[in-house]
């Protein structure tokens, strides 16, 4: 009996030691949640990813997210290694070589880069309505809050499309767009409005980049531009007066059942082929960057848990494949071979080589 008691006592001590070791390993993780920074146009996609990631893995603390712009997100990502720095960045531009070097100089060397998918914004009308192709410059001139006149910026009071260019119809300017905060609205501002004002002389002469952007993306508030929730854009267009156009994601256009027709923009019609080849202008690739140095090792040591799992979530078919939940944020899937390649990178946490 005395030997049995001693054996049980020894077993209890062993179990306590295992528990202590597990607690010590957990303590070696310096943060209890992922930190994700993103661009404004990636904010909707980021929220969908973090929500589904949290639901998929029981007990996971929801990641902390912040939308700060592509350049600022990459700068924050590259500030260094440690719990005070982000683990992941989701942006709509590839990390330039100079930023890679900045990362390396700050000790951020093991970076995993995956492409999540493509984002595209299209301009559409109802089937049967006569609206010719438009240029980004014409769209900007139609809906910008101010237009340059005699080298001065004045409120935009343009009423008809024909006032923008002789070849456009004499129909009233009405443009429906998603509300601010929607991923498609951010793409519209970035890829149509800002692109449309890029070569306006009066804007190019403005010294501060933030001031130039303000002149590019500020829209008129006199009723010519109508902002609605992103999922109401199609219904709003179908019930709008003749001649109205709308900005929406390519996925919404495809889902409209043939009731809507996309306009060519800057000479290129939006199709799966022109978007996939990036020939259509308002397209961006969504990139996800992760710090492999922050990942928890097999011994439980690391900044945070869940980096590899987040990469796998972002590259899974349930997220970025055809019919995946990220299509709700306007995402277009990559080609099948490209999606498979991105999943392999995520599975092995392959460090980018450039």
């Amino acid at each position: 009996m005395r030997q049995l008691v001693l054996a049980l006592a020894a077993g209890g001590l062993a179990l306590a030691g295992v528990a202590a070791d597990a607690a010590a390993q957990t303590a070696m993780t310096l943060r209890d949640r992922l930190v994700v920074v993103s661009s404004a146009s990636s904010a909707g996609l980021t929220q969908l990813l973090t929500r589904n990631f949290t639901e998929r893995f029981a007990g996971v603390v929801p990641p902390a997210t912040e939308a700060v712009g592509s350049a600022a997100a990459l700068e924050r990502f590259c500030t260094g290694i440690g719990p005070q720095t982000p683990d992941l960045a989701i942006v709509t531009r590839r990390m330039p070589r100079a930023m890679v070097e900045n990362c390396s100089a700050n000790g951020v060397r093991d970076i995993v880069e995956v492409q999540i998918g493509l984002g595209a914004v299209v301009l559409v009308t109802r089937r049967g309505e006569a609206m010719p192709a438009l240029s980004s410059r014409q769209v900007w001139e139609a809906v910008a809050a101010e237009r340059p006149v005699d080298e001065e910026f004045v409120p935009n009071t343009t009423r008809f499309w024909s006032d923008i260019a002789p070849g456009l119809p004499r129909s009233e300017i009405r443009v429906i767009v998603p509300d601010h905060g929607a991923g498609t609205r951010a793409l519209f501002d970035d890829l149509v409005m800002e692109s449309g004002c890029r070569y306006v002389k009066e804007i190019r002469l403005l010294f501060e980049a933030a001031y130039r952007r303000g002149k590019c993306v500020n829209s008129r508030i006199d009723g010519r531009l109508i902002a609605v929730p992103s999922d109401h854009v199609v219904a709003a267009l179908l019930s709008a007066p003749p001649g109205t156009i709308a900005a929406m994601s390519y996925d919404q256009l495809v889902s409209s059942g043939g009731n809507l027709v996309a306009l060519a923009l800057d000479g290129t019609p939006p199709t799966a082929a022109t978007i996939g080849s990036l020939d259509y202008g308002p397209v961006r690739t969504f990139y996800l960057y992760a710090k492999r140095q922050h990942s928890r090792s097999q011994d439980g040591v690391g900044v945070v848990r869940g980096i590899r799992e987040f990469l796998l979530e972002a590259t899974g078919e349930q997220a970025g494949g055809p019919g995946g939940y990220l299509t709700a944020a306007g995402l277009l899937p990559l080609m099948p071979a490209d999606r498979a390649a991105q999943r392999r990178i995520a599975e092995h946490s392959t460090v980018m080589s450039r």
Side-chain angles (χ1 to χ4, degrees):
M1 179 64 70
R2 184 171 178 274
Q3 289 178 336
L4 177 60
V5 170
L6 290 174
L8 290 172
L13 288 173
L15 290 174
V18 170
D21 289 343
Q25 288 184 359
T26 302
M28 292 179 188
T29 301
L30 303 178
R31 203 179 335 103
D32 68 347
R33 69 177 66 196
L34 293 168
V35 174
V36 187
V37 290
S38 74
S39 63
S41 52
S42 305
L45 181 146
T46 301
Q47 293 301 322
L48 283 174
L49 267 178
T50 54
R51 185 183 70 195
N52 282 271
F53 168 76
T54 303
E55 291 174 353
R56 188 175 301 277
F57 298 98
V60 169
V61 180
T65 63
E66 185 179 2
V68 295
S70 282
L74 291 175
E75 287 175 3
R76 293 260 301 269
F77 181 84
C78 287
T79 53
I81 296 297
Q84 73 283 359
T85 66
D87 310 299
L88 302 139
I90 301 176
V91 293
T92 50
R93 56 175 289 193
R94 196 178 192 201
M95 185 181 291
R97 182 65 197 173
M99 188 63 70
V100 175
E101 293 172 353
N102 182 49
C103 265
S104 181
N106 292 329
V108 185
R109 299 185 178 91
D110 294 346
I111 302 172
V112 180
E113 174 191 75
V114 295
Q115 298 177 28
I116 303 174
L118 302 172
V121 59
V122 296
L123 300 178
V124 305
T125 62
R126 288 177 299 204
R127 182 170 294 282
E129 294 193 0
M131 186 68 187
L134 292 169
S135 69
S136 299
R137 174 69 175 265
Q138 290 167 344
V139 175
W140 178 79
E141 290 186 2
V143 300
E146 297 177 311
R147 293 182 63 192
V149 176
D150 297 329
E151 300 185 351
E152 296 288 337
F153 288 97
V154 300
N156 188 358
T157 59
T158 308
R159 181 179 176 184
F160 297 103
W161 284 103
S162 56
D163 296 332
I164 303 295
L168 298 181
R170 188 169 175 77
S171 58
E172 295 205 19
I173 295 170
R174 293 189 188 90
V175 181
I176 299 172
V177 295
D179 280 330
H180 283 293
T184 305
R185 176 59 181 272
L187 289 174
F188 175 78
D189 286 346
D190 290 352
L191 304 181
V192 179
M193 294 290 284
E194 197 161 3
S195 175
C197 78
R198 185 175 299 158
Y199 300 110
V200 176
K201 181 183 68 174
E202 290 83 356
I203 289 179
R204 293 181 68 185
L205 291 174
L206 298 175
F207 180 73
E208 294 185 21
Y211 193 40
R212 289 197 300 272
R213 176 172 169 80
K215 291 294 186 184
C216 289
V217 303
N218 282 354
S219 304
R220 54 199 298 183
I221 56 173
D222 58 357
R224 299 289 170 188
L225 189 83
I226 304 102
V228 300
S230 184
D231 56 352
H232 293 178
V233 171
V234 173
L237 177 60
L238 292 174
S239 62
T244 304
I245 69 173
M248 62 183 64
S249 70
Y250 183 74
D251 181 70
Q252 286 176 300
L253 169 68
V254 172
S255 301
S256 69
N259 294 315
L260 306 177
V261 178
L263 303 177
L265 189 66
D266 297 320
T268 304
T271 65
T274 60
I275 292 170
S277 65
L278 305 183
D279 290 330
Y280 178 69
V283 178
R284 278 191 176 169
T285 302
F286 290 95
Y287 288 92
L288 169 59
Y289 291 95
K291 292 177 184 173
R292 199 170 75 171
Q293 289 155 288
H294 276 199
S295 296
R296 193 180 66 154
S297 69
Q298 292 181 346
D299 296 327
V301 179
V303 171
V304 69
R305 300 174 61 187
I307 289 179
R308 181 174 179 272
E309 289 78 5
F310 195 92
L311 287 168
L312 292 172
E313 177 69 25
T315 56
E317 288 292 288
Q318 78 286 347
Y325 63 78
L326 291 180
T327 59
L331 188 86
L332 279 157
L334 300 170
M335 297 300 289
D338 295 330
R339 296 199 305 273
Q342 300 309 307
R343 282 196 297 275
R344 286 194 295 271
I345 293 172
E347 288 168 357
H348 301 289
S349 296
T350 307
V351 172
M352 70 178 187
S353 57
R354 61 181 176 90

